[in-house]
């Protein structure tokens, strides 16, 4: 369709963001002003119980392997769109769609999958037509930590951990897609040979929408240990040490604002979308959350308290580190970068502490926290219920140290305070090491509604904490990127994100730092760093 026709109907245009998260498929519909018009979510466990997932995943008995069935994501898309149609969402007015996926997960598609995606019959559900396109019916996801050996092989082939970080933006991480692909190739060479295409969760979802293999963009592509972080193209040496014939299975990397195709006829005919609906490259949930918050200025930092906790911010020059964090492409600035520090022990570990020490009640959790002094009388704890990845790959374990830095026993309340303070001290330590100096903190994610957590965050960093009323930041970010990509496409050039795609929801001040408490945490930080060294060595 000609751009003129779209402009004529500009008043009516809407933009859709889809987020294929670990636990469910979420969506956000916005107008041209970035105002949220509607939201909808499908929880995988509840809506699709036949896939027998818990929290959207399957955990193997080894405690390390975590996968999800990719057909469940396919099925969820039809469930979501059917509900939207039933609720009379104005699908025909959607001008552009973009999306988000949990990062690092890989989808293995066998020969013939491309043809199946391109010839869908709108009278049949996606899952019936696509059940047979996978060469591997289990997608390893970000919670998987079973590839330590492949990580060490990558380090050896590329000249060590720092060399891997310099090249790809991150040291070798177990969950990163390249290491998952190397394991897949080693364990199932026959299935690898039968694989025509390997997608990320994000690009797989985009492939469903365009009816063809979708390219990646550098925000999610950087989470693979395979992309050269500076050229934003595949790093040949990193592909070579992963699996043979990988380049042709991975496809292209395009800028995040690029139109990757029109919506497939399947969705037009089955759900009533407009045939000219454009699809913008999908990205990972963390890059999309960065877009949702419009993090552009250096010092703009967000902390997302979710299943995994993440700290992220924009950066103009990459300073990759083998000790902590990741550098990804910035999805709203094709020349920029973003820093991400990810913790596997986020909400699940806080919920465990709530159940263990506060009778499964957040109210009791907050009361116990309030009953202990900030700084916990010098007590510091490390709670790795999940294998941790920051600063290093660490096995599950709990370590508690008294004021004299000797192992100690903690009361219930002291445990709760140690879980909370330890996490924010770690965030301050490692984001500081990567050069992130916050002027304010934006808190997002499910647990950002918990004001007692936000107060400790403000005190540890010594900065005001703001929260966004919008909680589905990845799907909002995807919707804003759809709007941004659509503007770039219309203008036939890159348009600065801030000019066209500001999130309309405002931020609310949630916690002010207390100066004396901040001084106390600053004094505690070197001891925290020393004890962390002790725990990881
Ligand atoms: C980021 C990471 C997680 C997932 C969660 O590196 O592993 O934040 O993206 O969906």
């Amino acid at each position: 369709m000609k751009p003129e026709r779209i402009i004529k109907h500009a008043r009516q245009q809407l933009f859709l963001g889809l987020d294929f998260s670990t636990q469910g498929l979420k969506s956000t519909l916005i107008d041209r002003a970035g105002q949220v018009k509607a939201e909808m979510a499908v929880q995988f466990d509840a809506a699709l119980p036949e896939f027998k997932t818990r929290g959207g995943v399957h955990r193997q008995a080894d405690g390390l392997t975590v996968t999800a069935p990719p057909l469940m994501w396919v099925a969820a898309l039809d469930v979501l769109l059917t509900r939207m149609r039933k609720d009379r969402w104005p699908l025909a007015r959607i001008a552009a769609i973009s999306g988000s996926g949990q990062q690092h997960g890989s989808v293995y598609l066998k020969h013939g999958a491309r043809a199946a995606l391109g010839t869908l019959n709108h009278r049949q559900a996606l899952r019936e037509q696509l059940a047979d396109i996978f060469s591997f019916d289990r997608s390893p996801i970000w919670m998987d930590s079973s590839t330590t050996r492949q990580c060490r092989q990558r380090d050896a082939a590329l000249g060590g951990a720092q060399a891997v970080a310099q090249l790809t933006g991150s040291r070798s991480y177990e969950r990163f897609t390249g290491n998952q692909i190397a394991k897949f190739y080693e364990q199932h060479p026959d299935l690898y040979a039968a694989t025509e295409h390997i997608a990320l969760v994000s690009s797989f979802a985009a492939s469903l929408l365009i009816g063809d293999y979708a390219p990646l963009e550098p925000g999610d592509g950087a989470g693979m240990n395979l992309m050269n972080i500076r050229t934003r193209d595949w790093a040949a040496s990193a592909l070579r040490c992963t699996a043979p014939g990988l380049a042709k299975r991975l496809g292209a990397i395009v800028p995040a604002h690029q139109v990757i195709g029109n919506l497939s006829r399947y969705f037009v005919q089955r759900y009533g979308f407009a045939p000219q609906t454009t699809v913008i490259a999908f990205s990972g949930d963390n890059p999309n959350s960065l877009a949702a918050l419009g993090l552009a200025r250096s010092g703009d930092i967000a902390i997302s308290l979710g299943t995994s906790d993440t700290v992220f911010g924009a950066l103009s020059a990459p300073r990759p580190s083998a000790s902590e964090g990741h550098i990804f492409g910035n999805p709203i600035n094709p020349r920029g970068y973003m820093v991400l520090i990810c913790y596997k022990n986020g909400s699940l570990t806080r919920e465990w502490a709530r159940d263990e020490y506060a009778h499964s009640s957040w109210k009791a959790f907050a009361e116990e926290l309030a009953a202990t002094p900030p700084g916990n009388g010098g007590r510091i704890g490390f709670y790795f219920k999940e294998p941790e990845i920051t600063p290093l790959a660490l096995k599950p374990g709990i370590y508690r140290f008294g004021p004299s830095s000797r192992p100690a026993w903690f009361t219930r309340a002291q445990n709760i305070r140690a879980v909370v303070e330890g996490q924010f001290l770690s965030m301050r330590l490692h984001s500081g090491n990567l050069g992130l100096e916050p002027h304010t903190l934006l808190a997002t994610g499910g647990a950002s509604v918990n004001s007692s957590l936000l107060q400790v965050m403000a005190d540890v960093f010594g900065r005001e904490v703001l929260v966004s009323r919008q909680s589905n930041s990845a799907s909002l970010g995807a919707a804003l990127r759809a709007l941004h990509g659509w503007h770039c496409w219309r203008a036939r050039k890159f348009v600065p994100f801030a000019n066209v795609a500001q999130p309309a929801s405002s931020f609310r001040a949630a916690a002010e730092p207390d100066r004396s408490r901040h001084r106390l945490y600053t004094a505690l930080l070197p001891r925290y760093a020393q004890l962390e060294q002790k725990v990881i060595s």
Side-chain angles (χ1 to χ4, degrees):
M1 129 162 235
K2 295 249 165 57
E4 296 81 4
R5 268 186 67 200
I6 292 193
I7 293 163
K8 211 167 117 202
H9 297 289
R11 268 185 307 133
Q12 306 169 351
Q13 263 122 14
L14 297 168
F15 300 85
L16 179 65
L18 297 172
D19 173 28
F20 288 76
S21 78
T22 310
Q23 304 191 348
L25 170 56
K26 304 173 190 172
S27 59
T28 301
L29 187 68
I30 59 168
D31 64 12
R32 280 186 68 171
Q35 193 81 41
V36 174
K37 292 293 173 194
E39 289 179 312
M40 188 178 280
V42 168
Q43 291 298 323
F44 298 136
D45 297 0
L48 297 158
E50 62 276 30
F51 288 97
K52 298 188 168 58
T53 55
R54 284 188 67 186
V57 308
H58 293 145
R59 290 170 189 265
Q60 309 297 313
D62 65 2
L64 298 173
T65 308
V66 186
T67 63
L71 191 61
M72 178 180 74
W73 301 326
V74 172
L77 184 56
D78 266 332
V79 172
L80 181 82
L81 296 176
T82 303
R83 287 188 192 170
M84 285 179 175
R85 196 180 46 183
K86 192 160 155 271
D87 283 9
R88 298 184 188 285
W89 279 40
L91 300 179
R93 281 172 50 199
I94 293 173
I97 304 176
S98 186
S100 171
Q102 53 175 310
Q103 291 202 255
H104 318 296
S106 40
V107 181
Y108 300 85
L109 296 153
K110 68 179 173 200
H111 291 277
R114 180 179 220 154
L117 287 167
T119 53
L120 292 169
N121 174 353
H122 72 279
R123 292 198 174 80
Q124 265 181 302
L126 288 174
R127 68 189 289 180
E128 290 167 32
Q129 303 180 71
L130 300 179
D132 200 31
I133 62 173
F134 305 102
S135 50
F136 197 44
D137 60 2
R138 275 158 283 164
S139 287
I141 61 145
W142 65 276
M143 293 160 97
D144 187 284
S145 26
S146 66
T147 65
T148 308
R149 198 161 53 80
Q150 287 77 16
C151 288
R152 297 298 77 81
Q153 285 166 356
R154 179 174 307 282
D155 293 348
L158 297 179
Q162 185 60 34
V164 176
Q166 278 299 343
L167 180 67
T168 70
S170 301
R171 69 162 192 260
S172 307
Y173 277 88
E174 275 76 3
R175 71 190 191 289
F176 272 40
T177 324
N179 308 311
Q180 298 287 347
I181 295 172
K183 178 185 157 195
F184 176 64
Y185 167 64
E186 273 177 49
Q187 293 196 340
H188 308 283
D190 48 333
L191 300 183
Y192 181 80
T195 301
E196 180 177 68
H197 185 76
I198 303 175
L200 291 179
V201 178
S202 61
S203 62
F204 174 63
S207 303
L208 296 174
L209 292 191
I210 63 170
D212 196 359
Y213 293 151
L216 302 174
E217 57 66 65
D220 217 9
M224 303 173 81
N225 279 145
L226 297 178
M227 191 190 86
N228 180 320
I229 189 65
R230 290 176 179 80
T231 64
R232 297 160 210 262
D233 201 353
W234 300 118
S237 57
L239 298 191
R240 261 198 310 277
C241 67
T242 304
L246 189 51
K248 67 170 191 278
R249 288 177 169 83
L250 290 173
I253 303 176
V254 300
H257 59 275
Q258 189 160 311
V259 170
I260 56 167
N262 273 5
L263 189 61
S264 143
R265 280 216 328 269
Y266 174 86
F267 301 98
V268 174
Q269 294 173 337
R270 192 174 170 97
Y271 297 107
F273 284 92
Q276 68 274 19
T277 311
T278 52
V279 181
I280 313 298
F282 279 32
S283 184
D285 52 353
N286 296 295
N288 277 302
S289 295
L290 181 102
L293 300 172
L295 301 187
R297 290 179 311 157
S298 128
D300 285 351
I301 293 186
I303 295 181
S304 168
L305 300 173
T307 311
S308 63
D309 278 356
T310 52
V311 181
F312 52 99
L315 202 72
S316 53
R319 279 175 41 184
S321 156
S323 314
E324 66 254 304
H326 314 297
I327 310 286
F328 294 157
N330 185 322
I332 56 176
N333 176 356
R335 286 206 290 267
Y337 299 90
M338 71 174 277
V339 165
L340 173 78
I341 303 172
C342 183
Y343 295 87
K344 286 210 176 172
N345 287 276
S347 285
L348 295 180
T349 300
R350 282 185 290 271
E351 282 161 20
W352 164 83
R354 176 202 62 191
D355 297 347
E356 192 80 4
Y357 305 121
H359 313 291
S360 305
S361 145
W362 282 123
K363 192 163 163 281
F365 185 97
E367 283 161 9
E368 297 281 19
L369 194 60
T372 41
N376 220 358
R379 292 173 190 82
I380 290 175
F382 298 82
Y383 297 78
F384 308 133
K385 291 297 294 171
E386 298 282 325
E388 188 45 81
I389 46 172
T390 299
L392 289 176
L394 299 167
K395 292 207 170 65
I398 295 177
Y399 310 86
R400 304 175 182 90
F401 299 96
S404 60
S405 297
R406 293 220 185 82
W409 179 87
F410 288 5
T411 64
R412 284 170 177 270
Q414 287 164 353
N415 271 298
I416 287 179
R417 183 161 279 283
V419 167
V420 175
E421 289 184 341
Q423 188 70 332
F424 293 128
L425 285 167
S426 176
M427 289 177 177
R428 180 167 162 201
L429 175 70
H430 296 292
S431 62
N433 289 351
L434 282 165
L436 290 180
E437 285 294 335
H439 45 76
T440 47
L441 293 164
L442 305 178
T444 69
S448 66
V449 295
N450 191 327
S451 55
S452 58
L453 293 183
L454 300 186
Q455 187 58 53
V456 180
M457 188 193 284
D459 292 340
V460 168
F461 281 88
R463 293 288 180 266
E464 184 185 24
V465 173
L466 306 175
V467 287
S468 162
R469 258 184 264 126
Q470 167 58 252
S471 54
N472 294 326
S473 55
S475 59
L476 173 65
L480 289 165
R481 288 199 315 98
L483 172 61
H484 177 230
W486 178 79
H487 273 289
C488 295
W489 173 72
R490 267 195 345 158
R492 294 193 167 84
K493 62 172 196 218
F494 181 78
V495 180
F497 185 82
N499 292 5
V500 292
Q502 285 289 357
S505 74
S506 57
F507 295 103
R508 172 177 67 76
E512 281 291 338
D514 174 284
R515 291 204 180 286
S516 69
R517 292 201 287 260
H518 177 57
R519 274 197 299 275
L520 194 146
Y521 287 124
T522 302
L524 211 56
L525 200 59
R527 250 192 79 226
Y528 179 87
Q530 276 166 10
L531 291 174
E532 187 189 74
Q533 282 305 315
K534 204 160 154 176
V535 165
I536 65 181
S537 56

